[in-house]
Amino acid sequence: MKIQFIHQYRNPSNYMCGISGFTLKTDNGTLKNSLLENFKTLQNHRGPDHNALWNINNTYFFHDRLAVIDGSATANQPFYNDRYVLCYNGEIYNFEKLKKNLPNVHFQSASDTEVLFYYLIEFGIDKTLKDIKGMFAFSFYCTTTQELFLARDRYGIKPLYFVNNSGVFAFASETRTLAKALQLKPDSYKTIMSINSTVEGSTTYTLFNDIKNINAGTYLKVSEHFTVTEHTYYKLSDDIDENLFNEQKKKSKKQIITEFENLLDSSVEQMLTSDFPVGSLVSGGIDSSIISSLAKQYSPNIELYTANIVGKHSEYEDTKLLASHLNLNLKKVDFLPTDFLNNWQQATEYNAAPIVYFTNALPLAQVTKLARNNNRKVVLSGEGADELFLGYSKLIAQRYKSALLLPETVLKKLYKVYPALHNYLFPSNYSNLEPFNIRLANGFKSEVLYNEGNDIYNFIPKNTKKYYVDSYEMMQKHLHALLYRNDRMGMMSSVEVRFPFLHEDVIKYIMNLPLEYKTKRTVDFHNKKHPFLTDKWIVREIAKKYLPKKLVSKNKNGLPIDGLTNLKIQKDFFTNGYIAEHLQLTKQALHYMIENENPYFIGKLASVEVFAMLYEYHCNTEEIQEKINRNCYYK
């Protein structure tokens, strides 16, 4: 057995990075050389500070380091001893506490990586994953048993994917890495269906059939014979606690507000840990504003970064108000509609999927690039609050839905006297093929989660249970899409995004919080979409201590951009392309589609076309950009 230690490091530290590795199943020198070259380079953007590999026989592990704590060479990875090797991406918040459980280990650093390494050796994978709190993805390999463990954090903040085919077992932080290194083609059905945002919200699949997603809250055990077994160590349902819910119902409002403020404050403090300056992404909204306000207490000179969506969607004045109120430096990048066209293909490449629903990924990519250009490797974000606190207007407005639809409800009852006419005028959504195709492509994820949520929240009164279940579903589906977007767009510029609302302690507290602390009736005309209901009530109550009144009461906008909405696409964009080929569209059909169908839908197809040019046809970037410039413009 030949072990090659490419780098001998004994003082690891915190990493926000890329991890990858592969094992060849056959003696294929050409494949090995190709994989070595690709795995060494394809994830450098995730960790430009240092790149290294470790190997034994035909098994290779790679680490691309973004140094956050201890920038010296002694903190590089992979980390190993004579039996184990660890490649780790993330941050363990409670590592100091866990360190006390290892009294016989002579630590050579003050890092979480070293604690994780020895904790895995001492206690095994199951207890380790039960005990650690944080955001992480790691590979842990034993040279004697030839067993590999691949693990991912509870909420899927850190990504991890794998391939297990006849020639190789491989894993990586990004689908892009595996697709390009192994020259994989996207599945045509999944790719076409992605116009419905199926891949952006999927927690189960990628567009490449060979590439599998390691689910949040799970780990894989890979045997020496490449048998893969999945083990779930955490489910969000584990945190739903009827006793905790009842305890919180008995507490006073003042007590609840204080407890939550302390939890969020502690989370912000922990996520500011870094040997390098930390920034904060701000949009002018309540979530990022309160995170920045709490961060200022521990980092008095923290810099704020924002994308100014030039035009009617701009919230720049609100971010300036926040910066002025906190007396902090604010840096902005202006984002114009043409910036979408200029950055469309690059964002699509790193997204490894068509950008259809989350077109605001592009200004996010620009603002993280701005932060990186200002020497910020880590930034805080307010992501996750809307899912936890029902901050989306469509969820809150459902309380009015029955009243607003009363005329239609009455008509439906009247027309039920004539069933045939009723079915013609009011066809069931479940009788339509298009919604079914979307549910099918999503693996009925939302439907399954709603069924689970209804069972888990069986102690909640029927008239309000739906709102708890909404949050339960969104935390496991919609949030996944946002985390995917943040990881890809941030790491594209080598920037780690941290989410104080997604600390384990915060999530457990909020998932058991009575509804009245999330949404509350008010006599004020709070929002035209839900005029007499206040969203994210407890967040706004805390914000009153830290923010000006205008920001406390500010409505959610969600970083809106024109994106695909007002985009005009010429038919030549699709001529002899992926869409025309796979849907067998004639020139006449393309002409009709461009002239008569909804331009937004055409824009979605164009996003699929951009993806296909990158991953199916492997066009060069100049060729793709030239095609975009020639055929795409805003009205």
Side-chain angles (χ1 to χ4, degrees):
M1 179 173 67
K2 180 183 178 182
I3 300 177
Q4 185 177 3
F5 300 110
I6 304 300
H7 297 278
Q8 298 191 30
Y9 302 128
R10 290 292 185 271
N11 187 21
S13 195
N14 295 54
Y15 303 96
M16 306 300 158
C17 325
I19 63 173
S20 57
F22 68 85
T23 300
L24 292 172
K25 298 182 180 181
T26 60
D27 188 12
N28 187 329
T30 302
L31 177 60
K32 181 179 80 171
N33 291 335
S34 175
L35 291 178
L36 280 171
E37 183 61 30
N38 279 289
F39 273 69
K40 284 179 181 176
T41 59
L42 282 170
Q43 290 191 160
N44 286 174
H45 59 283
R46 296 189 70 89
D49 295 329
H50 189 268
N51 316 105
L53 71 90
W54 177 101
N55 82 287
I56 174 174
N57 298 330
N58 281 324
T59 298
Y60 297 81
F61 297 98
F62 302 80
H63 193 269
D64 299 279
R65 181 188 179 202
L66 180 65
V68 175
I69 295 178
D70 188 355
S72 71
T74 58
N76 294 329
Q77 285 195 55
F79 184 62
Y80 62 86
N81 61 16
D82 57 357
R83 187 177 175 184
Y84 299 100
V85 59
L86 171 70
C87 285
Y88 161 60
N89 170 28
E91 180 180 1
I92 310 301
Y93 308 136
N94 62 334
F95 77 97
E96 290 285 5
K97 180 179 178 181
L98 299 179
K99 196 173 185 178
K100 297 175 183 177
N101 297 330
L102 299 166
N104 297 323
V105 176
H106 179 63
F107 288 97
Q108 299 183 41
S109 76
S111 73
D112 64 342
T113 310
E114 192 172 10
V115 174
L116 175 61
F117 181 77
Y118 287 112
Y119 214 88
L120 283 163
I121 294 172
E122 179 69 22
F123 297 109
I125 186 76
D126 291 297
K127 179 171 174 52
T128 297
L129 290 171
K130 180 182 178 181
D131 290 351
I132 61 178
K133 293 182 178 182
M135 53 180 187
F136 56 83
F138 64 78
S139 67
F140 186 65
Y141 182 71
C142 177
T143 62
T144 55
T145 63
Q146 297 182 52
E147 289 178 334
L148 172 67
F149 294 96
L150 298 173
R152 199 169 172 211
D153 65 63
R154 289 168 172 80
Y155 313 116
I157 299 173
K158 292 298 177 184
L160 197 55
Y161 303 88
F162 75 99
V163 168
N164 188 19
N165 60 29
S166 60
V168 66
F169 181 92
F171 68 91
S173 294
E174 296 186 2
T175 51
R176 170 182 176 270
T177 304
L178 295 170
K180 287 181 172 289
L182 297 168
Q183 299 180 351
L184 301 175
K185 293 278 189 177
D187 179 271
S188 58
Y189 171 74
K190 291 179 180 177
T191 300
I192 296 296
M193 284 301 296
S194 68
I195 64 171
N196 297 305
S197 309
T198 49
V199 72
E200 286 173 291
S202 177
T203 58
T204 55
Y205 73 82
T206 73
L207 294 184
F208 306 87
N209 287 331
D210 275 1
I211 303 177
K212 311 298 182 185
N213 183 31
I214 297 177
N215 293 317
T218 70
Y219 72 87
L220 300 186
K221 179 181 178 180
V222 187
S223 73
E224 61 177 317
H225 303 298
F226 306 105
T227 299
V228 178
T229 55
E230 183 184 55
H231 303 262
T232 299
Y233 70 88
Y234 170 84
K235 303 186 297 294
L236 186 62
S237 58
D238 297 340
D239 278 341
I240 311 304
D241 186 336
E242 182 178 0
N243 291 328
L244 178 57
F245 175 84
N246 289 330
E247 286 176 15
Q248 294 193 26
K249 278 191 73 72
K250 296 175 183 177
K251 294 177 181 177
S252 67
K253 291 179 182 179
K254 182 178 180 181
Q255 189 175 0
I256 290 288
I257 292 169
T258 300
E259 287 177 351
F260 173 62
E261 180 180 359
N262 290 339
L263 283 173
L264 188 60
D265 184 76
S266 175
S267 176
V268 169
E269 181 184 13
Q270 291 177 46
M271 295 190 192
L272 285 168
T273 302
S274 173
D275 283 345
F276 298 87
V278 176
S280 187
L281 303 182
V282 294
S283 64
I286 183 73
D287 306 325
S288 60
S289 295
I290 190 62
I291 293 299
S292 300
S293 300
L294 293 172
K296 178 181 167 63
Q297 299 176 114
Y298 304 101
S299 180
N301 297 314
I302 188 170
E303 280 194 340
L304 309 180
Y305 297 92
T306 192
N308 174 31
I309 312 301
V310 176
K312 62 182 180 180
H313 299 306
S314 177
E315 297 178 81
Y316 182 53
E317 291 303 316
D318 290 327
T319 59
K320 285 202 300 182
L321 174 61
L322 173 67
S324 175
H325 181 76
L326 298 178
N327 194 27
L328 292 174
N329 187 26
L330 171 68
K331 294 184 181 296
K332 73 175 175 76
V333 57
D334 290 330
F335 190 88
L336 299 161
T338 51
D339 290 317
F340 180 87
L341 299 178
N342 294 334
N343 296 281
W344 194 2
Q345 65 159 316
Q346 185 189 29
T348 301
E349 179 188 343
Y350 283 87
N351 196 53
I355 294 176
V356 175
Y357 184 74
F358 290 110
T359 53
N360 56 14
L362 277 75
L364 176 61
Q366 295 303 299
V367 74
T368 53
K369 182 179 180 181
L370 173 68
R372 181 63 182 185
N373 289 340
N374 283 273
N375 195 35
R376 295 311 187 268
K377 297 181 180 182
V378 176
V379 292
L380 303 182
S381 167
E383 210 77 85
D386 288 309
E387 288 73 19
L388 284 169
F389 297 98
L390 301 170
Y392 294 104
S393 295
K394 65 179 181 180
L395 298 179
I396 309 173
Q398 286 175 349
R399 293 201 186 185
Y400 297 106
K401 189 174 181 179
S402 58
L404 294 173
L405 293 179
L406 184 61
E408 181 183 350
T409 304
V410 172
L411 281 174
K412 283 184 176 181
K413 288 182 178 179
L414 289 174
Y415 278 112
K416 277 190 176 179
V417 177
Y418 305 99
L421 184 58
H422 174 274
N423 293 337
Y424 179 76
L425 293 174
F426 306 105
S428 168
N429 192 43
Y430 278 78
S431 67
N432 296 330
L433 183 59
E434 182 181 359
F436 171 76
N437 281 337
I438 296 173
R439 296 195 299 273
L440 180 64
N442 273 313
F444 302 99
K445 179 74 173 180
S446 289
E447 291 71 23
V448 170
L449 288 172
Y450 273 111
N451 286 339
E452 286 180 6
N454 274 300
D455 291 338
I456 293 162
Y457 279 109
N458 57 13
F459 55 90
I460 300 294
K462 186 177 179 180
N463 64 324
T464 58
K465 183 194 291 188
K466 179 187 182 331
Y467 303 103
Y468 295 88
V469 178
D470 280 337
S471 185
Y472 180 80
E473 186 267 348
M474 296 197 77
M475 283 292 293
Q476 297 176 86
K477 190 169 183 292
H478 188 265
L479 180 62
H480 177 273
L482 295 177
L483 294 174
Y484 184 99
R485 176 196 68 177
N486 279 273
D487 179 82
R488 295 300 182 273
M489 298 303 103
M491 276 303 190
M492 193 163 70
S493 296
S494 307
V495 172
E496 176 71 22
V497 186
R498 296 179 180 174
F499 311 98
F501 280 108
L502 299 183
H503 190 289
E504 286 90 338
D505 296 341
V506 173
I507 288 177
K508 182 166 185 175
Y509 192 84
I510 300 305
M511 292 303 292
N512 295 284
L513 191 67
L515 182 62
E516 64 190 272
Y517 294 105
K518 298 184 180 185
T519 68
K520 187 177 285 289
R521 296 190 183 278
T522 176
V523 295
D524 296 326
F525 195 88
H526 178 69
N527 186 317
K528 63 183 179 181
K529 295 178 181 178
H530 45 86
F532 301 108
L533 283 172
T534 301
D535 61 317
K536 293 187 277 195
W537 182 84
I538 192 171
V539 179
R540 297 184 190 278
E541 283 300 297
I542 294 171
K544 289 177 181 178
K545 291 175 55 177
Y546 300 95
L547 301 175
K549 184 176 181 180
K550 181 182 178 182
L551 296 183
V552 171
S553 60
K554 187 173 184 295
N555 296 329
K556 178 178 178 59
N557 289 325
L559 199 65
I561 66 170
D562 286 333
L564 304 175
T565 305
N566 297 313
L567 193 58
K568 180 69 175 176
I569 311 289
Q570 305 275 27
K571 66 177 182 298
D572 286 348
F573 187 78
F574 298 102
T575 302
N576 299 321
Y578 185 86
I579 296 297
E581 175 189 348
H582 284 78
L583 296 180
Q584 299 185 27
L585 298 178
T586 63
K587 289 183 179 179
Q588 292 84 355
L590 283 175
H591 178 78
Y592 178 86
M593 181 180 76
I594 294 295
E595 294 298 320
N596 295 281
E597 295 295 337
N598 188 324
Y600 178 52
F601 296 157
I602 306 303
K604 289 184 174 185
L605 284 178
S607 265
V608 173
E609 193 74 44
V610 171
F611 168 78
M613 283 189 278
L614 287 162
Y615 283 94
E616 177 78 18
Y617 299 143
H618 302 291
C619 300
N620 64 57
T621 56
E622 291 80 8
E623 180 183 354
I624 298 172
Q625 192 61 49
E626 192 275 332
K627 192 169 187 176
I628 291 172
N629 293 342
R630 190 174 67 248
N631 293 288
C632 306
Y633 61 92
Y634 284 94
K635 299 175 185 178

